[in-house]
Amino acid sequence: MPDPILQTVDLGKTYGARRRFWQKPANVPPALADATLELRQGEILGVVGESGSGKTTLARCIALLERPDTGRVLFEGEDLTKLPEAALRRRRRYIQTVFQDPYSSLNPRQRIGDTLAEVMLVHGLASRGEQRDRVAALLEQVGLPATAAANFPSAFSGGQRQRICIARALAAEPKVLIADEPVSSLDVSVQAQIVNLLLDLKERLGLSVIFIGHDLQLINFIAPRVIVMLGGRIVETLPEGSSLADAKHDYTRALLQAVPTLEKLDAAYRLSQQQNMA
C-alpha cells in the first residue's frame, strides 16, 4: 500500500467565535472538528456531504488557504501548520485547489495566457522566454487550443473556464489536487467531460486527488475511498473495495436515498402531471 502523501490530524476551525480580544468566545458550533484523514500517493479520495457539512472548510484548511484553529496538516511528513509564511508559500504550491465556480475564479480583465504565466512567475517555474510554450502545453493538457491564451474568460463557456482553472492549478506543478465540487455548477452534459479529464490527468501526472462533492454515487464511482461529512465532522469512511450498500451511518444512507434515479424522476414527473390535471 502506498505511503500517505498528505495527512490531517484533528483539524478544527470555528468562525466568529470571538468578536473582541477582551470578550469571551461566543458559543458558535465549529465549521470543522477533529478531522483526521490520509491521502495516499496517487489515489483519489472522495469527500461527500451536503451544503454546510464542512467540506469546503476542510479543503481550505488542507491547502492552508485558511489556518486551522487546531490540528495538523502533514505533507510528505512535514507539518505545514508550523511553517512561517515564507516557507509555507514555497511548500503550498504542491497543494492546488480547483474551486466550484469557474466564473468567479478567473480575473475577467486578464487574458488566459497571462493568468497561467503568472503562476509560473510567482513560483519561479519558467523564465519569460519559456512561458509561452509552457502555457500552450498546459492548455493542450486540458483539451483547449493554444490560441485560447490570447482570449479573456468571457470568450469561454463554463466547462471551458473550468478547464482553464484546472490548467492554472497544474501550472504550479502540484503533487496534490483538491477538486472542490468542480462540476456542480456545470451542465450535466459537461460534468462527465470534466470528471474524465481529472481522471486522465491523475493517471498521466501521478497526481493525488481529493474530490469533493455532494453526489454520493458520483463520488463513489470516482474514488476508491470515500469520507462522509456531517456538521463539520467525518462520520463515516467507506474503505476501498466497499460498496454503497456497506454504508453503516444513517446519514450516509440518507444521502444515498436522496440521489435521483430514473425511477424517482419518473415517479416525480407522473405526480406533477396528476397535480396539473387536478
Side-chain angles (χ1 to χ4, degrees):
M1 182 179 297
D3 293 332
I5 188 172
L6 184 143
Q7 297 169 283
T8 71
V9 181
D10 296 331
L11 274 192
K13 182 70 177 179
T14 302
Y15 297 106
R18 188 187 293 272
R19 290 164 292 177
R20 296 289 188 274
F21 71 88
W22 63 83
Q23 293 177 320
K24 293 182 179 179
N27 187 21
V28 178
L32 185 68
D34 304 324
T36 297
L37 60 83
E38 66 176 34
L39 175 68
R40 299 167 190 156
Q41 177 70 48
E43 82 159 336
I44 298 181
L45 175 66
V47 179
V48 69
E50 59 190 354
S51 297
S53 62
K55 307 186 301 296
T56 294
T57 302
L58 174 65
R60 293 184 66 83
C61 286
I62 289 175
L64 271 295
L65 298 175
E66 294 186 21
R67 290 270 188 174
D69 298 328
T70 58
R72 297 182 292 158
V73 178
L74 303 174
F75 175 69
E76 296 183 328
E78 182 178 30
D79 187 355
L80 300 185
T81 64
K82 304 296 186 185
L83 296 179
E85 284 300 323
L88 178 59
R89 280 194 297 271
R90 290 192 294 271
R91 295 293 281 164
R92 193 164 51 192
R93 80 170 177 89
Y94 294 109
I95 305 174
Q96 292 294 309
T97 304
V98 177
F99 297 100
Q100 175 180 353
D101 185 2
Y103 290 92
S104 62
S105 297
L106 297 171
N107 184 345
R109 297 180 178 85
Q110 190 173 46
R111 297 182 190 273
I112 299 308
D114 294 334
T115 295
L116 302 183
E118 183 177 52
V119 177
M120 303 174 216
L121 184 64
V122 167
H123 296 294
L125 297 176
S127 67
R128 291 193 180 276
E130 298 168 332
Q131 286 173 9
R132 183 174 179 178
D133 290 341
R134 177 71 175 130
V135 165
L138 285 167
L139 290 170
E140 182 182 355
Q141 273 189 320
V142 299
L144 292 174
T147 53
N151 295 326
F152 292 97
S154 59
F156 301 95
S157 66
Q160 291 171 325
R161 292 188 196 200
Q162 196 62 292
R163 290 174 184 269
I164 293 166
C165 291
I166 293 170
R168 181 178 59 185
L170 297 180
E173 300 179 2
K175 297 182 180 181
V176 173
L177 185 66
I178 302 174
D180 186 6
E181 301 207 44
V183 299
S184 63
S185 65
L186 304 177
D187 293 339
V188 174
S189 60
V190 181
Q191 290 181 6
Q193 298 173 20
I194 298 300
V195 168
N196 287 333
L197 172 62
L198 289 170
L199 292 174
D200 180 59
L201 290 171
K202 177 257 180 188
E203 291 297 327
R204 280 196 286 149
L205 303 178
L207 293 170
S208 303
V209 180
I210 297 177
F211 195 103
I212 298 171
H214 58 265
D215 185 333
L216 182 55
Q217 287 190 333
L218 173 63
I219 298 293
N220 186 246
F221 169 76
I222 296 169
R225 290 193 302 129
V226 178
I227 285 171
V228 182
M229 295 193 69
L230 172 65
R233 296 179 182 273
I234 296 172
V235 296
E236 183 167 14
T237 299
L238 300 174
E240 187 171 357
S242 65
S243 69
L244 295 178
D246 299 323
K248 296 179 173 59
H249 198 279
D250 291 341
Y251 176 67
T252 309
R253 295 177 180 176
L255 283 177
L256 184 58
Q257 289 295 320
V259 174
T261 63
L262 289 177
E263 291 78 8
K264 291 178 183 178
L265 292 174
D266 182 63
Y269 174 76
R270 291 176 183 274
L271 178 60
S272 66
Q273 291 294 94
Q274 293 173 1
Q275 291 173 342
N276 290 336
M277 294 174 61

